[in-house]
Amino acid sequence: QKEVEQDPGPLSVPEGAIVSLNCTYSNSAFQYFMWYRQYSRKGPELLMYTYSSGNKEDGRFTAQVDKSSKYISLFIRDSQPSDSATYLCATTTIQGAQKLVFGQGTRLTINP
Amino acid sequence: KAGVTQTPRYLIKTRGQQVTLSCSPISGHRSVSWYQQTPGQGLQFLFEYFSETQRNKGNFPGRFSGRQFSNSRSEMNVSTLELGDSALYLCASSSGGAAEQYFGPGTRLTVT
């Protein structure tokens, strides 16, 4: 079983919809949580970075971490066609901070 | 501030050969991490260098090695290439103290 599970999709929604992307993890030592966006043939781009449990908002993006259920989410409001990409969750421990463990990635398409 | 740069962007090698990939981190970043991305396994951590020392290592065979120079630039080397080494190799840099990592565009390696 992978340490971080993420539904690979694909997920297709209409423009303007609220998108919910999720990951679960198994290692309770994970403390840092990140969401990356990756366009085709590009490197991953850091979207959100959170430490421990709670919510973090940045524009149309909201990241949520629930450590009690080992569940992390990314919400995209007012989705745009330019949001079409693969979204990857990532996490790491305090000790191995640079050793990110990634989910498989969810391929998202926003239809105009 | 310039982002992470990787060279070359594309590479075709023959099984049994060796290859060296290069990464220049964001100015001021002292930590460089390397990842392998494949459709089947996703993004997997290879190793991390900080101040010219390997600080973390993933579960890859010894054919995969790396080094970091005094200016924080890093190289990774893969010897005795196998077909399964075909992948996108990504380099990420960070300040070293935090888990936030910023990725380069990657080097796409094809082994024939």
Side-chain angles (χ1 to χ4, degrees):
Chain A
Q1 185 183 359
K2 290 181 181 289
E3 286 189 282
V4 180
E5 298 280 359
Q6 183 178 7
D7 187 340
L11 181 62
S12 182
V13 302
E15 182 176 355
I18 296 175
V19 176
S20 173
L21 302 167
N22 309 290
C23 292
T24 59
Y25 63 93
S26 57
N27 187 349
S28 58
F30 288 146
Q31 295 284 346
Y32 299 103
F33 304 92
M34 284 140 279
W35 283 95
Y36 285 85
R37 175 174 64 193
Q38 187 173 25
Y39 292 112
S40 181
R41 312 195 81 79
K42 303 281 188 183
E45 172 194 7
L46 180 62
L47 278 178
M48 302 287 284
Y49 167 71
T50 56
Y51 172 68
S52 198
S53 283
N55 293 359
K56 185 173 184 177
E57 188 173 319
D58 184 0
R60 297 185 294 110
F61 299 88
T62 299
Q64 280 186 356
V65 176
D66 182 348
K67 292 193 70 183
S68 62
S69 57
K70 296 190 180 67
Y71 197 82
I72 55 179
S73 303
L74 178 71
F75 299 95
I76 307 174
R77 291 184 299 281
D78 187 25
S79 55
Q80 305 294 310
S82 59
D83 294 328
S84 298
T86 296
Y87 288 80
L88 298 137
C89 62
T91 180
T92 186
T93 63
I94 291 175
Q95 287 77 13
Q98 306 303 315
K99 183 179 178 179
L100 298 183
V101 180
F102 282 85
Q104 192 69 9
T106 299
R107 182 174 293 180
L108 173 67
T109 300
I110 308 297
N111 300 303
Chain B
K1 196 182 255 191
V4 178
T5 59
Q6 293 186 245
T7 56
R9 293 292 312 278
Y10 302 92
L11 209 48
I12 300 176
K13 290 287 188 179
T14 303
R15 193 170 45 184
Q17 288 185 314
Q18 75 166 17
V19 66
T20 299
L21 312 180
S22 181
C23 170
S24 291
I26 292 170
S27 178
H29 283 187
R30 296 167 62 191
S31 170
V32 174
S33 299
W34 288 89
Y35 294 82
Q36 181 195 67
Q37 186 174 31
T38 60
Q41 298 299 316
L43 264 156
Q44 292 185 286
F45 174 81
L46 280 157
F47 32 65
E48 180 234 352
Y49 286 86
F50 180 82
S51 293
E52 303 179 65
T53 300
Q54 189 180 85
R55 196 164 61 169
N56 280 296
K57 189 177 187 309
N59 295 324
F60 278 82
R63 299 185 298 108
F64 292 83
S65 63
R67 61 177 174 169
Q68 187 179 34
F69 302 96
S70 58
N71 61 357
S72 294
R73 191 178 69 86
S74 177
E75 290 181 346
M76 69 162 280
N77 183 277
V78 188
S79 62
T80 320
L81 284 166
E82 301 177 359
L83 296 178
D85 296 334
S86 294
L88 180 67
Y89 289 88
L90 292 156
C91 164
S93 79
S94 79
S95 60
E100 297 159 273
Q101 293 183 33
Y102 299 88
F103 282 83
T107 294
R108 185 162 296 279
L109 172 65
T110 302
V111 182
T112 62

